[in-house]
Amino acid sequence: MNKDFLALSQFSKAELDAMFALCKDLKAKTKNREEHHLLKGKTLAMIFEKSSTRTRISFEVGMYQLGGHPLFISSKDSQMGRGEPIKDTARVMARYCDGVMIRTFAQETVEEFAKYASIPVINGLTDLHHPCQIMADVFTVIEHKGSYDGLKFAWIGDGNNMANSWIEAAAIFGFDLTLACPEGYDPNPQVLAWAKANGSAKIVITRDPKEAAKDADVLNTDVWASMGQEEEQKIREKAFAGYQLDEQLLALAKKDALVLHCLPAHRGEEISDGVIEGPNSVVWDEAENRLHVQKAIMATLMK
């Protein structure tokens, strides 16, 4: 198994399913308040170049529950923020810590860090991928549907890091995925090419949100302007008109369809308040599962 968790494409279906099995066990132990100190005495450095709510809290709490110690590092308060080469930071940090989680902009940053660090490196988010979130999303689907097999997944909105990681997940797990994205906001073409070369899943890109939502088992969306794209907000609002996951779109899906959103949500933009608060929404289970999935990832890589 790969020592790092930088993208889903690094792993086989069997390896990721094993993480889900461990996640289920760890979640049960957490709920029952059973000790599960699999990483007792170990330290996770958490490097943040992007601000965070769920990523920081879930990794920090998760490491504590595993018996280890989380260490928060803001890039602006470290030598990385003053221009120290990534490879220098990586080699030194590997001598202090047992693992590193990085939440940053460029995928190249986590890849270079992993190249020079002898300890596991986990991608907490980049502009290209968000693998931890997708693992939490798929695990949430498994909890509510029993399996991801044979389900139709729909993505409504920007072809961003979430869309890219959903495409990799579809290829690995073998479920059908339709992505409705406006012109000019498609997912990464290299990620699409990898998925088509390495999986048999039906992956479709359309300009019509209704096509994606029709008969879907799972509906998913994200903000129209991600972190670092705030200056594009007005332009994106025009481009994404008609791409809101609202009651009309939800009505086209199956009656028991699940609604996912990785949060934070801009209610009234990419999703309506009624849908995120409605009976189909499993957004809060999804958010909680970040904790349990990431514990499984850390325990798998750092034991």
Side-chain angles (χ1 to χ4, degrees):
M1 179 179 288
N2 200 295
K3 79 173 178 69
D4 304 306
F5 195 83
L6 309 183
L8 295 181
S9 56
Q10 295 174 289
F11 297 89
S12 67
K13 178 178 180 293
E15 289 170 335
L16 296 178
D17 279 338
M19 289 185 192
F20 288 141
L22 178 58
C23 176
K24 182 179 179 181
D25 179 60
L26 293 178
K27 183 171 183 177
K29 284 182 166 61
T30 304
K31 296 294 184 183
N32 295 329
R33 297 194 175 277
E34 296 177 34
E35 186 179 290
H36 47 284
H37 290 171
L38 303 180
L39 298 180
K40 186 176 181 179
K42 297 199 173 185
T43 301
L44 176 77
M46 307 185 304
I47 300 172
F48 286 86
E49 292 189 315
K50 283 189 174 185
S51 58
S52 166
T53 299
R54 279 153 291 277
T55 298
R56 178 177 179 180
I57 294 172
S58 56
F59 269 106
E60 197 160 322
V61 171
M63 193 62 184
Y64 172 79
Q65 291 179 353
L66 290 169
H69 179 74
L71 181 65
F72 174 79
I73 304 166
S74 170
S75 62
K76 69 177 183 291
D77 298 325
S78 71
Q79 295 297 339
M80 280 184 69
R82 297 176 62 193
E84 180 176 41
I86 293 169
K87 60 184 178 181
D88 291 1
T89 302
R91 286 183 287 207
V92 171
M93 202 166 286
R95 301 202 178 199
Y96 297 150
C97 305
D98 301 286
V100 177
M101 185 282 298
I102 308 178
R103 181 179 171 93
T104 187
F105 294 89
Q107 181 73 13
E108 292 77 16
T109 298
V110 296
E111 290 177 357
E112 184 177 357
F113 206 103
K115 178 181 177 181
Y116 289 98
S118 57
I119 56 176
V121 175
I122 299 170
N123 179 359
L125 173 143
T126 66
D127 289 344
L128 185 63
H129 292 295
H130 200 354
C132 291
Q133 180 67 59
I134 298 302
M135 288 290 285
D137 293 1
V138 176
F139 182 75
T140 304
V141 171
I142 294 170
E143 281 190 317
H144 285 268
K145 295 289 189 181
S147 173
Y148 47 70
D149 291 332
L151 300 184
K152 179 188 175 184
F153 289 70
W155 175 263
I156 313 292
D158 192 17
N160 60 10
N161 51 3
M162 285 290 294
N164 292 333
S165 288
W166 268 115
I167 289 167
E168 289 194 344
I172 295 164
F173 296 119
F175 51 72
D176 290 346
L177 172 67
T178 302
L179 303 102
C181 307
E183 189 79 41
Y185 295 92
D186 284 348
N188 182 277
Q190 284 77 34
V191 172
L192 268 171
W194 178 89
K196 290 179 179 178
N198 290 276
S200 58
K202 182 182 177 184
I203 300 173
V204 175
I205 296 179
T206 178
R207 305 294 171 219
D208 185 359
K210 293 179 181 178
E211 179 185 345
K214 184 173 174 55
D215 298 324
D217 297 283
V218 181
L219 293 162
N220 201 349
T221 189
D222 192 7
V223 295
W224 292 341
S226 298
M227 207 175 301
Q229 299 171 333
E230 290 82 1
E231 72 283 355
E232 302 176 28
Q233 180 68 30
K234 295 301 180 184
I235 297 172
R236 284 172 171 263
E237 284 177 7
K238 291 181 181 179
F240 286 86
Y243 283 79
Q244 182 183 105
L245 178 45
D246 57 14
E247 288 79 356
Q248 287 70 39
L249 271 186
L250 179 59
L252 298 173
K254 292 180 181 174
K255 286 189 176 181
D256 61 348
L258 304 178
V259 171
L260 300 173
H261 192 306
C262 61
L263 301 175
H266 294 170
R267 298 166 189 238
E269 289 185 16
E270 78 278 357
I271 192 166
S272 70
D273 188 77
V275 168
I276 198 170
E277 294 289 352
N280 296 79
S281 172
V282 291
V283 169
W284 318 117
D285 292 343
E286 175 190 6
E288 178 192 340
N289 283 332
R290 284 287 300 277
L291 169 66
H292 307 298
V293 158
Q294 288 162 188
K295 284 165 68 175
I297 293 168
M298 289 189 288
T300 299
L301 299 180
M302 295 173 61
K303 269 203 301 188

